[in-house]
Protein backbone atom coordinates (compact mmCIF):
# COMPACT_ATOMS: atom_id res chain seq x y z
CA UNK A 1 0.00 0.00 0.00
CA UNK A 2 2.91 2.37 0.62
CA UNK A 3 3.68 2.46 -3.13
CA UNK A 4 0.37 4.19 -3.93
CA UNK A 5 0.68 7.69 -2.37
CA UNK A 6 3.24 9.04 -4.87
CA UNK A 7 1.06 7.89 -7.78
CA UNK A 8 -2.20 9.16 -6.27
CA UNK A 9 -0.64 12.53 -5.43
CA UNK A 10 1.03 13.00 -8.82
CA UNK A 11 -2.18 12.91 -10.84
CA UNK A 12 -3.89 15.96 -9.25
CA UNK A 13 -0.60 17.85 -9.52
CA UNK A 14 -0.45 17.11 -13.26
CA UNK A 15 -4.06 18.23 -13.73
CA UNK A 16 -3.35 21.49 -11.86
CA UNK A 17 -0.22 22.02 -13.96
CA UNK A 18 -2.30 21.63 -17.13
CA UNK A 19 -5.09 23.87 -15.81
CA UNK A 20 -2.58 26.69 -15.26
CA UNK A 21 -1.40 26.53 -18.88
CA UNK A 22 -4.34 26.13 -21.28
CA UNK A 23 -1.96 26.24 -24.26
CA UNK A 24 -0.84 22.69 -23.36
CA UNK A 25 -4.13 21.44 -24.82
CA UNK A 26 -6.12 19.77 -22.03
CA UNK A 27 -9.76 20.75 -22.63
CA UNK A 28 -11.23 18.99 -19.59
CA UNK A 29 -11.26 15.85 -17.49
CA UNK A 30 -13.55 13.62 -15.44
CA UNK A 31 -12.43 11.60 -12.40
CA UNK A 32 -14.01 8.14 -12.07
CA UNK A 33 -13.65 5.20 -9.72
CA UNK A 34 -14.66 1.56 -9.99
CA UNK A 35 -13.53 0.52 -6.52
CA UNK A 36 -11.34 1.83 -3.70
CA UNK A 37 -8.30 0.61 -5.66
CA UNK A 38 -9.28 1.50 -9.22
CA UNK A 39 -9.29 5.13 -10.34
CA UNK A 40 -9.68 6.57 -13.81
CA UNK A 41 -9.30 9.95 -15.40
CA UNK A 42 -11.00 10.57 -18.72
CA UNK A 43 -9.28 13.51 -20.40
CA UNK A 44 -10.28 15.54 -23.42
CA UNK A 45 -7.43 17.03 -25.45
CA UNK A 46 -7.27 19.60 -28.22
CA UNK A 47 -5.11 17.23 -30.29
CA UNK A 48 -3.06 14.09 -29.98
CA UNK A 49 0.02 16.16 -30.79
CA UNK A 50 -0.54 18.33 -27.71
CA UNK A 51 -1.16 15.25 -25.57
CA UNK A 52 2.09 13.63 -26.75
CA UNK A 53 3.99 16.91 -26.39
CA UNK A 54 2.89 17.26 -22.76
CA UNK A 55 3.67 13.63 -21.97
CA UNK A 56 7.22 13.94 -23.33
CA UNK A 57 8.05 17.50 -22.18
CA UNK A 58 11.04 17.19 -19.81
CA UNK A 59 10.03 20.34 -17.91
CA UNK A 60 6.53 19.01 -17.11
CA UNK A 61 5.49 16.76 -14.23
CA UNK A 62 4.30 13.81 -16.35
CA UNK A 63 7.77 13.22 -17.76
CA UNK A 64 9.35 13.40 -14.28
CA UNK A 65 6.74 11.11 -12.72
CA UNK A 66 7.03 8.60 -15.57
CA UNK A 67 10.82 8.53 -15.17
CA UNK A 68 10.47 7.79 -11.45
CA UNK A 69 7.92 5.01 -12.06
CA UNK A 70 10.11 3.43 -14.75
CA UNK A 71 13.18 3.58 -12.50
CA UNK A 72 11.32 1.99 -9.56
CA UNK A 73 9.96 -0.72 -11.85
CA UNK A 74 13.47 -1.50 -13.16
CA UNK A 75 14.72 -1.68 -9.56
CA UNK A 76 11.82 -4.04 -8.67
CA UNK A 77 10.58 -1.62 -6.00
CA UNK A 78 6.93 -1.66 -7.08
CA UNK A 79 6.47 -5.45 -6.85
CA UNK A 80 3.45 -5.32 -9.14
CA UNK A 81 1.39 -3.32 -6.63
CA UNK A 82 0.99 -0.23 -8.78
CA UNK A 83 -0.32 -0.39 -12.32
CA UNK A 84 -0.65 2.45 -14.79
CA UNK A 85 -2.63 2.18 -17.99
CA UNK A 86 -2.90 4.75 -20.73
CA UNK A 87 -5.26 4.47 -23.66
CA UNK A 88 -5.94 7.09 -26.32
CA UNK A 89 -8.87 7.18 -28.72
CA UNK A 90 -8.63 9.64 -31.58
CA UNK A 91 -11.90 10.87 -33.09
CA UNK A 92 -11.86 12.79 -36.38
CA UNK A 93 -12.72 16.49 -36.23
CA UNK A 94 -16.47 17.24 -36.18
CA UNK A 95 -17.32 13.69 -35.09
CA UNK A 96 -17.21 11.66 -31.92
CA UNK A 97 -16.44 8.17 -30.74
CA UNK A 98 -18.19 6.32 -27.92
CA UNK A 99 -16.90 3.14 -26.34
CA UNK A 100 -19.06 1.18 -23.91
CA UNK A 101 -17.81 -1.82 -22.02
Amino acid sequence: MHQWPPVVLALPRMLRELARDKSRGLLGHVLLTASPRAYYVVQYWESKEKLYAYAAAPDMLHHKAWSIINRKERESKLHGHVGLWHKSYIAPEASYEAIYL
Side-chain angles (χ1 to χ4, degrees):
M1 198 66 178
H2 64 278
Q3 291 97 350
W4 275 98
V7 175
V8 171
L9 295 173
L11 181 59
R13 288 175 54 208
M14 285 184 239
L15 293 172
R16 283 192 303 271
E17 176 179 69
L18 286 160
R20 283 191 301 268
D21 185 357
K22 300 288 185 193
S23 71
R24 292 279 175 185
L26 182 66
L27 300 174
H29 69 279
V30 178
L31 300 172
L32 305 168
T33 183
S35 73
R37 293 182 54 177
Y39 296 92
Y40 308 90
V41 180
V42 177
Q43 298 178 350
Y44 302 93
W45 286 80
E46 189 176 316
S47 68
K48 72 176 192 257
E49 292 79 15
K50 287 196 174 190
L51 166 63
Y52 296 158
Y54 172 73
D59 60 324
M60 297 283 103
L61 183 57
H62 182 273
H63 188 273
K64 295 170 190 169
W66 197 245
S67 296
I68 291 168
I69 293 280
N70 282 332
R71 187 187 77 242
K72 287 184 177 188
E73 187 63 41
R74 280 192 306 275
E75 296 169 355
S76 298
K77 291 185 177 177
L78 295 180
H79 307 290
H81 296 286
V82 176
L84 299 173
W85 179 60
H86 292 76
K87 187 73 174 175
S88 298
Y89 296 96
I90 310 300
E93 189 174 338
S95 65
Y96 63 91
E97 181 172 337
I99 299 169
Y100 301 96
L101 303 176

